[in-house]
Structures are given as structure tokens and as C-alpha cells.
Amino acid sequence: MNAGDGGAPAVTPAPLEWKFSQVFGERTAGEEVQEVDVISAIEFDRTGDHLATGDRGGRVVLFERTDVKEHAGSQRELERMDYPVTRHPEFRYKTEFQSHEPEFDYLKSLEIEEKINKIRWCQMANGALFLLSTNDKTIKFWKVQEKKVKKISDLNIDPFGGVANGTMPSSSVSSSQKQYLVNGCYTDGSSECLSNDVSFPPGGLPALRLPVVTSGETSLAARCRRVYAHAHDYHINSISTNCDGETFISADDLRINLWNLQISNQSFNIVDVKPTNMEDLTEVITSAEFHPTHCNILAYSSSRGSIRLVDMRQSALCDSHSKLFEEQETPGSRSFFTEIIASISDIKFAKAGRYILSRDYMTLKLWDINMDSGPVSTFQVHEHLRPKLCDLYENDSIFDKFECCLSGDGSRVATGSYSNLFRVFGCAPGSTEATTLEASKNPRRQVQTPSRPSRSLSSSITRVVRRGSESPGADANGNSFDFTTKLLHLTWHPTENSIACAAANSLYMYYA
């Protein structure tokens, strides 16, 4: 991997020392978490200055970075001064709004929950933030903008009471019920105009002051600009914005639709894997993502562990893929759980688009789009759970959908696990970095002792398989794993070594 390809630099970087930065929504000991407060989506914007989270209650919460604003000069100016930037990213609560409400489909007798499945940022314009949020059926396009509250001040003195700012005294309320004409007289024809108490300066009428509109405090307003609905028969699992800034895709189990941001009543079906007879169905779409720099290329993953690369220039309906990425089964390794744990829950492109990161139940895999014979690296996330697959199947944990992310330079990857743990792996050639961290104020409480990567020579290409610290059935401290506390959602800052992850209703942030 080369730095220019969105991969690691030629020199193997040293393992990062991760430190706790912030927590929002921290739980007290024994506090019960409400289901609607559990975070279900998390995403940095392209600049890394804003972070959005969505929860099961249909709310979207925005955070903004403060450490850049509070210090004079931009980062670029500080770099010109050769001033070391050692501050870690600090965020504060910005605003929140109700994105989705629970609905009921009367035709299908189906309840549509308000849970936010995905959030994706769009390009900023005129200082306003734009983002897409979706639940199972409906996608919404939101605009969040600061609005100044305008007030009228500097009014003329009221002629009846001599009170400034146009405020009328209580004794003059009854006399003020009459309607005025433009010249100040009453509409009932009476000649009583201005009060005799008003003194005119010699030489003419007193000068009139024009009222002034002043902008006072600013308030954030979130407005739903468009609603993209009634285009999916199955639950939406992915949305992805295009680098052209005009279009986005939405994917459900069987179809991928292409939308224009400006048109909410029409979409184009570009991928359809639904068979004529549903009994012939062998796989479903699990995730879809646009290429970060080529607006005509997208990738989507399936429940059978394959990733298909699609070029929209080839045809209007992209049923035939341009490339297929899948790992061949090792002979004799097939079991009842093989297909279940092979299902890919998330895919992400590296920043430059050369590599694709995928997450299945047991592993992270890094794929080179120029090499479809197999992954270039495989990282085993929680291999010690393999003997417990039967128990995980019984309690449905085997169907948990973990997300994954890459660092901005592509030299590291991260994903979540159980007991609120997350793993960070180095994917540079020769790197042995495999760190286990806990989503808490003391992330290093999980002692990590990385093992040497084992190499597999199953093909002509040497692929790295890295495990990190493991002990069967227990974490590094000897504690049994808690399958009810799972870290499904996390995201990496686009330019810095900073990770935000969601543990139940709490948002934890770390830096290195």
C-alpha cells in the first residue's frame, strides 16, 4: 500500500497510544438505558469539524469542533509558523432535531420504527450544514443553519405617553384602540390628532427616527428540505452520497436506487437482485458505498461474503458487475455457521478509493480493487468466539452487524466487538499493531499484547492474518465477554487519529 493510494506510507508507523478525549451521555453506575436513547448511527463530515449521531428514537444530534475555533489562526497558518499542533479534537453539543417519527403502513399492516439506520453528510453551502438520514423506509434531506433573531428597536417616543421604544403606558390603552390614518388623524373623522403636550421646536416638526432592525442572538434551525419515500419494499440498510455532490444511492435487501438530491419523487433502480421466484433467492444486499473520487463507480456487499464493483457507465441496470471480490473457502472448513458468519455487514472505501475494507462477523478484510483474487490482509477481531458460535446463534448475537472504518491515511483500520471493546489494526506492510480498547474513560483497561501476524501462503500473493490479543472465552483481564454490550458503530476522523464510537446511549471519543 502506498501513501498516494490512500494506503500506508513506505515506513511502518509505530503503534498509536490511544487516550480518552470526551464522553457525551455518560451513564452512571446502575443507570438503566432507555431503548430510544441507544445510538444507532454515527458519522463525521468531510472536514471533521462536525459529528452527527442518530438514535433509536429518531433523533439526530449534531456536535461541532471547538478547539480550532477557540485558538487564533488556522491550522495551516500554525504549520507555516512551524508551530506544533498538539491539541486533540474537542467537540461540543451543537443542536438536535427529530428526524423521523414512528409510522404504520396500513396496506402491509407493518409498523415502521423511527430508528435512524444511517446518516450521511452532504456538501456545505452558504454556511449551512446538509445531511441525509434514513430509517427503514424513508430518507430525509436536512438543512441546519444558524439564524439570527431580528428585533425592531429605536422606535419613536409615543406621543400619548412620551414613552420610549413605542411602549404604551397602561393608562393610554383605551385611547389607543382607535385606528390611525397615515397623517396621524383618526379614522372616525375627529380632528383630534397629536397630543397638545408635544412641544415643537422653533422652525418645524421634530425629527423622526426610523426604527432599526437589529440582529440579536443566533439560533440553530433544522429544516427538512426533501423527503425521499415509497421507493423501497424492504428495509433500507445503506445510503451513500456521490462525490459529484448531486446524487446519492439507497440500498435495501434486494435493490439499489439512484437519487438526485433535488428530485424527491423519482429514483432510478440501478441494481436489482430479486429473482423471479423468491424461492430461488440465495443472497441479499447488505451494504453499498459510492467510490470517493469516481462518481460512476460503486460497490455493494452481499450476505454470502462477496463484494461487487459496479460501473454505472456500462448500462442503466447494473446487474452485471465489473469486478467480484470474494475469498475462496478452505476445503473441509465448511460448517452450519459458515454462510452466516461470512455475511458482510459493512464496507468502506479508503480515502483515495484504491482499497475496500469489509467487516464480516469474525474478521476485517482489506481488498485491493486491482486484485480480485482475495483480500490483501485479514484481521481476526474475536477469533476466540469461534467455539461459542452455537451459543451466539441461540441468542441471535451471530446476526449483529458491526461497522468498520479506516484512518484518513489508510494506514489503520478499526471495528467494534463485544463488552464495548473495539480493535485497531495497522495495515502497513510489516505492521504488527493490533490494539484492543474499551469504550470507557480508561480505554487501556483492556491490556493488549499483540501477537506476531501469521502469514498464509494459500496463493501466490502473501496475505497477512493478524489476531492481536486473544484468550478463549474471556477478555484480556480474564473476564467473560458480555454479549449484551456491543460496540456496533464507530467512525474515524477524516484527517486526524481520532475515533468516535457509540456504546449504548454514550458517545466516546479517543485520540492518539
Side-chain angles (χ1 to χ4, degrees), residues 146-376:
E146 285 190 353
K147 288 191 174 181
K148 292 184 177 180
V149 180
K150 295 181 178 179
K151 297 180 180 179
I152 301 176
S153 61
D154 203 18
L155 298 176
N156 289 283
I157 295 176
D158 181 69
F160 294 97
V163 181
N165 294 330
T167 305
M168 201 164 285
S170 58
S171 60
S172 64
V173 171
S174 58
S175 63
S176 65
Q177 302 302 318
K178 297 182 180 181
Q179 298 295 319
Y180 294 102
L181 292 175
V182 179
N183 61 2
C185 294
Y186 294 113
T187 55
D188 58 3
S190 62
S191 59
E192 183 183 2
C193 291
L194 290 176
S195 170
N196 294 328
D197 296 335
V198 177
S199 58
F200 295 91
L205 292 169
L208 293 174
R209 294 194 312 272
L210 289 175
V212 178
V213 179
T214 58
S215 297
E217 300 176 355
T218 59
S219 64
L220 280 165
R223 190 159 65 95
C224 183
R225 297 292 303 274
R226 287 174 190 86
V227 177
Y228 313 91
H230 312 300
H232 288 277
D233 291 330
Y234 305 93
H235 289 179
I236 298 172
N237 55 48
S238 302
I239 52 174
S240 178
T241 53
N242 201 343
C243 60
D244 63 9
E246 296 180 357
T247 57
F248 72 93
I249 55 172
S250 59
D252 64 23
D253 292 342
L254 299 179
R255 293 187 177 95
I256 299 177
N257 292 334
L258 177 67
W259 301 82
N260 188 298
L261 283 167
Q262 306 300 322
I263 303 170
S264 60
N265 60 356
Q266 184 181 38
S267 65
F268 297 94
N269 179 222
I270 55 175
V271 175
D272 189 347
V273 300
K274 184 178 181 180
T276 306
N277 184 358
M278 285 295 284
E279 291 181 359
D280 299 331
L281 183 67
T282 58
E283 62 181 340
V284 295
I285 298 168
T286 56
S287 183
E289 184 94 353
F290 259 124
H291 192 282
T293 57
H294 291 85
C295 61
N296 55 289
I297 295 177
L298 63 94
Y300 68 92
S301 59
S302 80
S303 58
R304 299 191 70 177
S306 62
I307 302 172
R308 290 172 172 84
L309 204 64
V310 169
D311 190 339
M312 294 191 296
R313 296 173 298 184
Q314 291 181 343
S315 63
L317 188 62
C318 306
D319 284 343
S320 59
H321 52 268
S322 56
K323 281 193 175 182
L324 174 66
F325 305 96
E326 60 182 355
E327 191 170 26
Q328 299 302 319
E329 277 185 34
T330 306
S333 64
R334 189 170 183 82
S335 71
F336 173 78
F337 303 109
T338 300
E339 287 192 9
I340 300 175
I341 63 175
S343 177
I344 295 174
S345 57
D346 190 27
I347 59 171
K348 291 288 194 318
F349 273 100
K351 193 172 184 179
R354 169 76 182 271
Y355 297 92
I356 300 175
L357 180 67
S358 68
R359 170 70 202 264
D360 56 42
Y361 187 70
M362 299 296 291
T363 64
L364 274 174
K365 291 185 176 73
L366 192 67
W367 307 79
D368 186 339
I369 63 172
N370 296 330
M371 188 184 82
D372 54 8
S373 59
V376 294

